[in-house]
Amino acid sequence: MDQTARQQEAFNAATAMVTCLLHGDREEARRIAFSNDILYADMLLILAEALADGHTPDTWQAALLAAHLED
């Protein structure tokens, strides 16, 4: 798989995981994460970039903690 196709597939999987979480389906998001072990690092980087884009260094940890505590 070439790099562009790999990044697109990782983006699609990351988008699907977030969509599942927004609809309250943590199990499906988890299934997607674990079924894409080859793309796992790419998906993680995409999600980290999205988180970083929406926060400052002072607020990202609070947002991450708040999301973790909701579970």
Side-chain angles (χ1 to χ4, degrees), residues 14 17-18 40-55 60 64:
M17 285 191 318
V18 171
Y40 188 79
D42 294 312
M43 292 184 329
L44 185 59
L45 183 57
I46 288 167
L47 295 171
E49 288 172 344
L51 178 65
D53 188 45
H55 293 280
W60 77 269
L64 188 62

Side-chain angles (χ1 to χ4, degrees), residues 8-29:
Q8 184 61 50
E9 190 170 343
F11 177 82
N12 292 343
T15 301
M17 285 191 318
V18 171
T19 300
C20 289
L21 291 171
L22 289 172
H23 290 284
D25 193 347
R26 185 179 171 90
E27 285 301 312
E28 182 62 12

